[in-house]
Amino acid sequence: MNERIEANATLTEQGEEFARNIAEATELSQQIWLRLMQGQMDNETSQETDPLHIAPSFSELLRVLFDNPQQIADATLQYWQAQAALMQQTTLKWLGGGDVAEVKLPHMASAGKRFEHKQWQENALFEFVKQSYLLASGSVQDAVHSVGDMAPKERRKVDFYTRQFLEAMNPANFFALNPEVLEATAAQKGENLVRGLKMMLEDVERGKGKLLIRQTDMHAFEVGRDVAITPGSVIWQSDVLQLIQYAPGTEKVHATPVLFIPPWINKYYILDLNPKKSLVKWLVEQGHTVFMISWVNPDERQKGETWDSYMQAASAAIDKVLAETGAAQVNLASYCIGGTLTGTLLALLNKGGDKRVGSATFFTSQLDFEDAGDLQVFVDEQTVQLVDGQMEKGYLPASAMANAFNMLRSNDLIWSYMVNNYMLGKEPFPFDLLYWNADSTAMPAHVHHFYLEQFYTRNNFAKGVLVVQDAPVLLADINVPVYHVASKEDHIAPAHSVFRGAQMMVNADVRFVLAGSGHIAGVVNPPSSGKYQHWTNADMSADGLEGWLAGAVETPGSWWGDWDAWLAALAGTTVDARQPGAKLGIIEPAPGAFVKARFDAN
C-alpha cells in the first residue's frame, strides 16, 4: 500500500513539474511573440509586399501549368496512385502485416538527415508521415521543375522558393509530429522546451526583434585566440583594409610574395581557421612570404566607398607588399567575390601594361555570371532597388547577407537548429566553421550595388562592356599565368560557371582545377586530411565543364600540393626569410582590429 501511495505521489509530482514547465514555456512563447512583433514594427523600413520579387515568377509558373493540362493530369494521377499504395501498405503494417514496403518516391524527393531518428523508420505512424511528406514534396518539386517551358532564371527562382516552402513544411519542424521532440519532452517533463524557448528569447533580443539563430557556441571562440591565429603583424592600413604580413615558417623563402585578396562578404580567416585547416599556415610552411588583406567591416564611415575605390585600395596593398619585400612582382590569390574584384583589377592593370602582378589564383571565383547559382534568385532589377533601400545608412546590414546564405541550405542552417536549439533545448556544438559563418559582415552600399547590378544582373564583365576607373575591361585583357579552382558541388559559384569565366581568359595561361566538395570544404582542404579529390586537365578548349572533365585526370586528396608546385615555379629564387614590418613597421599584431569588429544585428 505504501509503495502504491509513493508511486502515486511521484506521478503527481512529475505531473506538476510537467505542468509548471509547460506553463513557463507558454509564458516564454508569449514574450517571444511580443518581442518579434515589436521588432517587426521597429525594423519596418518598407511597405513592399513582395520584397524578393517572387510574384511574377510564380505567375509565369501558373500560366505554364494551365498551358500543360496533360502533364499536370499525369503527374496528379501518379501522385494519388502512390499515396493510395502508401496508405495500403501502412494499413497492413498497423494490422501486423510486416514492414511498410518502400513506395517509389519522385525524382526530387530526399529524406536527408532530418529523418534519422529510429522512430521515423520503426513506428508505423511516423513512417507514414515521413513517406507521405516525401511523396507530396517530391511531386510538387518535380512538377515545378519540369512542367512546360520557362526561362531558366524564372524556373530557378520558382524551384528555389518552392523548396524553401516545402522544407519549412517538413514534419520534423513541428513539435507534435517530431518523435524525437516528443520523446525528449516526455523524458524531461518539458524542461527541454523551457531551455529552448529561453534560448530563442535570447536570440530574438540579440537580433533586436529578429530571430538570429545560433548555430554554434559563440562564446567558445575568439578571433585571434582560437581562429585567425597564424603569427603575423598588421604593417599598413587604409580606410577600407588592413594589410597583414605573416611570420615566416622556413629559413629561406621564395622571392616573390603572395598576397591574398579575400571576400568582404565574410571574413578572411576562413583561410586561417585553425592550425590544422589553415591555408595561410600551410603556405608559409612551404616557404612563401604571405600577406593578407583584412577588409574593414563597414559602417557610415565607408558610405562613399565604391568598386573603384576598393580596387585602388587593393592596388595600394600591392605597392606596400612590394615596398616591404623589395620584390619586383607579387603573386595574387583570391577567393569568391575577392576573385571577382581581382579579375577586374588584373584586367585593368594588364591592359595598361602594369607588370606588378606575376600571376593570379582564383578560388571558386565567378567572372561569368550567366548562370551564377542559387544566389541569383535573390537578384534582379527590382530586388537591387529594394536592397538600395536597405542601405540608406551607406551599408547593407550584416544580417541581410547572413539570411541569404542560410536560405541556400535552409534544412542544415535554419530548420535543424530550430529543432535542436528551441525544441530539444540543446546548446549547439562549438564549431569553428559555423562561428566564422555567423561572424557576419556588412556591405558598403555602392560596392554592393555595383556588384549586384554589373555582375549578377547584367553580367557586363563577361559581355565585354564593364567599365572600371573610367576604362572598359575584358577578361581577355588578363595575360598573366592563372590558377583557377572550382568546387564540384559548389552552390554559390557553380563549377560550370567558374569554368566558363576561366575559358574567357584567352590571353592567359590558365591551369583549371576542379576540387571535390563545395564552396568552403573544396577550398579549405589541407593535404593532411586525406579528403575528397581533384581533377586536372591542361586542355581548356572543351565545350563546357563536362567535356573538360571527360578528359581530366582524377587525383585523390587536396589540390594544395598541385597549387604550391605551380606557384613555386613562378616564385623565383629563394631569399632569407622576411620578418613582418622590417621596412614599413608594425601597427599591431595579427589578426588586427578590422577583423574583430562585429555587427550581430545591424
Side-chain angles (χ1 to χ4, degrees):
M1 179 65 74
N2 289 336
E3 292 178 355
R4 183 178 297 177
I5 292 173
E6 290 177 1
N8 288 337
T10 300
L11 288 173
T12 300
E13 184 178 338
Q14 291 176 345
E16 291 173 350
E17 183 179 358
F18 187 86
R20 286 195 300 271
N21 285 329
I22 294 301
E24 186 173 358
T26 302
E27 183 180 346
L28 286 166
S29 298
Q30 293 172 343
Q31 293 179 41
I32 292 167
W33 181 256
L34 290 172
R35 187 63 185 93
L36 286 169
M37 292 300 99
Q38 182 62 50
Q40 180 71 19
M41 291 185 287
D42 292 344
N43 295 317
E44 188 65 51
T45 58
S46 171
Q47 299 300 316
E48 175 63 58
T49 56
D50 184 19
L52 296 173
H53 201 234
I54 299 170
S57 298
F58 277 90
S59 295
E60 175 64 10
L61 174 66
L62 286 175
R63 183 195 66 76
V64 168
L65 295 178
F66 280 122
D67 286 348
N68 293 273
Q70 188 61 52
Q71 282 184 271
I72 296 300
D74 291 344
T76 303
L77 180 61
Q78 291 173 11
Y79 168 72
W80 283 114
Q81 286 175 337
Q83 278 285 15
L86 176 61
M87 178 61 77
Q88 181 182 37
Q89 292 159 6
T90 302
T91 302
L92 289 174
K93 183 172 183 178
W94 285 340
L95 297 174
D99 292 336
V100 177
E102 286 293 326
V103 173
K104 184 179 179 181
L105 294 172
H107 174 68
M108 300 187 74
S110 175
K113 299 177 182 179
R114 305 295 307 284
F115 296 111
E116 288 184 345
H117 191 272
K118 63 181 182 180
Q119 289 296 319
W120 290 114
Q121 285 74 44
E122 297 177 2
N123 183 287
L125 174 60
F126 288 117
E127 187 174 28
F128 173 75
V129 170
K130 177 192 76 172
Q131 292 284 86
S132 184
Y133 164 76
L134 292 174
L135 184 57
S137 62
S139 298
V140 170
Q141 288 182 89
D142 278 1
V144 167
H145 184 74
S146 61
V147 170
D149 293 319
M150 290 182 67
K153 289 184 179 180
E154 295 297 320
R155 180 79 75 180
R156 180 185 294 116
K157 197 164 192 175
V158 296
D159 276 348
F160 180 82
Y161 285 108
T162 298
R163 187 171 73 248
Q164 298 302 310
F165 172 78
L166 294 171
E167 288 177 354
M169 294 296 103
N170 190 312
N173 299 334
F174 296 88
F175 172 87
L177 296 177
N178 189 320
E180 184 179 9
V181 174
L182 293 173
E183 189 178 275
T185 303
Q188 300 177 45
K189 296 178 279 296
E191 290 180 7
N192 55 305
L193 300 179
V194 173
R195 291 194 308 271
L197 291 171
K198 284 181 178 179
M199 271 194 280
M200 180 177 275
L201 184 57
E202 291 172 4
D203 290 349
V204 171
E205 292 293 349
R206 183 167 60 91
K208 300 177 182 178
K210 297 179 181 179
L211 180 60
L212 287 182
I213 301 172
R214 66 182 79 181
Q215 297 169 339
T216 187
D217 182 355
M218 296 300 291
H219 302 293
F221 301 96
E222 181 181 324
V223 175
R225 183 194 70 190
D226 309 287
V227 294
I229 59 174
T230 298
S233 301
V234 176
I235 64 166
W236 178 74
Q237 70 181 46
S238 68
D239 290 339
V240 299
L241 66 83
Q242 288 190 317
L243 180 64
I244 299 169
Q245 181 182 2
Y246 291 98
T250 55
E251 292 184 0
K252 294 285 187 177
V253 297
H254 295 288
T256 304
V258 177
L259 170 62
F260 278 96
I261 302 181
W264 54 88
I265 283 179
N266 35 46
K267 295 185 177 179
Y268 82 82
Y269 65 83
I270 187 61
L271 299 169
D272 188 25
L273 201 56
N274 66 44
K276 292 182 179 180
K277 299 177 184 175
S278 173
L279 178 56
V280 169
K281 180 177 183 293
W282 183 85
L283 208 56
V284 298
E285 290 173 349
Q286 310 313 305
H288 294 278
T289 304
V290 179
F291 294 80
M292 177 72 72
I293 285 177
S294 174
W295 297 105
V296 71
N297 205 344
D299 55 25
E300 291 93 337
R301 290 170 291 183
Q302 282 74 42
K303 187 173 184 176
E305 299 297 339
T306 65
W307 190 270
D308 282 357
S309 69
Y310 263 48
M311 286 175 58
Q312 290 164 353
S315 181
I318 293 173
D319 285 337
K320 297 302 178 181
V321 169
L322 298 180
E324 175 63 32
T325 61
Q329 289 186 316
V330 62
N331 290 321
L332 295 181
S334 56
Y335 194 176
C336 192
I337 188 177
T340 308
L341 180 85
T342 297
T344 61
L345 174 62
L346 196 55
L348 183 68
L349 297 181
N350 288 173
K351 183 176 182 177
D354 191 316
K355 301 296 184 182
R356 288 177 296 157
V357 177
S359 75
T361 297
F362 297 87
F363 304 154
T364 62
S365 302
Q366 291 193 108
L367 301 166
D368 174 14
F369 286 75
E370 178 62 30
D371 185 11
D374 284 347
L375 276 175
Q376 204 163 32
V377 305
F378 297 113
V379 185
D380 57 25
E381 296 287 355
Q382 289 76 17
T383 53
V384 169
Q385 292 177 13
L386 178 69
V387 170
D388 286 346
Q390 293 179 287
M391 299 191 293
E392 58 185 12
K393 293 182 179 180
Y395 61 91
L396 181 70
S399 58
M401 285 306 301
N403 290 339
F405 280 113
N406 284 341
M407 284 179 69
L408 296 181
R409 293 174 54 205
S410 59
N411 257 339
D412 293 333
L413 297 178
I414 297 176
W415 299 113
S416 64
Y417 289 102
M418 291 289 288
V419 173
N420 181 80
N421 298 2
Y422 307 137
M423 296 186 197
L424 295 174
K426 296 179 180 179
E427 288 279 358
F429 186 78
F431 188 17
D432 50 13
L433 178 60
L434 288 176
Y435 175 85
W436 167 83
N437 187 60
D439 192 4
S440 304
T441 56
M443 299 292 110
H446 296 304
V447 180
H448 198 56
H449 177 95
F450 187 92
Y451 180 55
L452 295 181
E453 180 182 63
Q454 297 297 316
F455 296 98
Y456 266 99
T457 304
R458 300 183 183 176
N459 197 23
N460 279 347
F461 199 16
K463 291 178 179 177
V465 293
L466 182 69
V467 176
V468 293
Q469 296 184 19
D470 298 323
V473 290
L474 310 171
L475 280 161
D477 291 329
I478 297 172
N479 58 27
V480 299
V482 167
Y483 193 97
H484 225 306
V485 182
S487 292
K488 194 172 186 181
E489 300 169 16
D490 197 332
H491 60 290
I492 294 173
H496 61 270
S497 177
V498 175
F499 179 76
R500 281 202 306 270
Q503 280 188 313
M504 292 181 183
M505 297 181 183
V506 293
N507 293 313
D509 180 10
V510 178
R511 180 169 178 79
F512 185 82
V513 176
L514 181 64
S517 196
H519 193 72
I520 302 300
V523 174
V524 185
N525 181 30
S528 60
S529 71
K531 289 184 176 180
Y532 313 125
Q533 69 281 96
H534 62 280
W535 292 265
T536 53
N537 181 357
D539 185 4
M540 291 294 293
S541 64
D543 183 15
L545 180 65
E546 290 304 317
W548 178 91
L549 193 56
V553 175
E554 180 179 346
T555 304
S558 173
W559 53 269
W560 288 13
D562 182 82
W563 180 47
D564 177 52
W566 179 88
L567 199 58
L570 298 168
T573 59
T574 58
V575 298
D576 290 338
R578 302 151 169 147
Q579 297 302 319
K583 293 183 179 179
L584 297 182
I586 293 174
I587 296 175
E588 61 180 326
F594 281 18
V595 76
K596 294 181 179 180
R598 291 186 58 87
F599 298 101
D600 285 319
N602 59 351

